[in-house]
Amino acid sequence: KRTNRRLAESWVSACEEALRDNFALVGNDDSAKLMHESANQFLLYCSGRVNCESALITLDLKPRQDLFAALWDLMAGVAGTVDTVTVEVLMGSTPETGGGMDKYC
């Protein structure tokens, strides 16, 4: 559990400068950037960019806290579970968020 939290926090630290360059708000507030969904899933919310309503970054990490899953990954080798990062971006849908640009294209 602690290993996954450290990995997620390291990922945010490595990407935070780029995220802050592109979004006005990174995380829900300054005290807790990452939302802890489960022992192996973390969410990061970003907003405040022209033509973009928000971005939701999901870190799905290996279930390192699960001994059975860890043993299964050792036996499976390369085909085992991997850590993944998914970025979902909601583009602007109102004139205030830069949406409706298709009228001008």
Side-chain angles (χ1 to χ4, degrees), residues 2 18-19 56-57 59 72 78:
R2 282 180 272 142
L19 290 170
L56 182 63
I57 302 170
L59 285 80
W72 183 259
V78 177

Side-chain angles (χ1 to χ4, degrees), residues 40 60-64 68-70 72-74 76-84:
N40 61 314
D60 283 310
L61 305 176
K62 289 182 185 181
R64 291 173 175 87
F68 180 74
W72 183 259
D73 277 349
L74 283 174
V78 177
T81 309
V82 296
D83 296 333
T84 60

Side-chain angles (χ1 to χ4, degrees), residues 6-104:
R6 272 188 276 127
L7 284 171
E9 288 171 352
S10 295
W11 186 89
V12 170
S13 293
C15 298
E16 187 171 10
E17 185 178 345
L19 290 170
R20 290 206 181 276
D21 286 346
N22 287 284
F23 293 97
L25 175 68
V26 176
N28 285 341
D29 57 32
D30 290 334
S31 63
K33 291 181 189 98
L34 278 174
M35 292 181 280
H36 187 221
E37 286 293 299
S38 68
N40 61 314
Q41 186 178 58
F42 298 86
L43 302 175
L44 179 65
Y45 177 79
C46 302
S47 69
R49 180 179 172 88
V50 176
N51 297 329
C52 173
E53 285 191 26
S54 64
L56 182 63
I57 302 170
T58 306
L59 285 80
D60 283 310
L61 305 176
K62 289 182 185 181
R64 291 173 175 87
Q65 76 287 354
D66 183 353
L67 180 61
F68 180 74
L71 291 173
W72 183 259
D73 277 349
L74 283 174
M75 293 183 343
V78 177
T81 309
V82 296
D83 296 333
T84 60
V85 176
T86 305
V87 180
E88 299 174 64
V89 178
L90 181 61
M91 302 308 289
S93 60
T94 64
E96 291 81 26
T97 58
M101 295 299 288
D102 57 336
K103 294 183 224 171
Y104 304 108

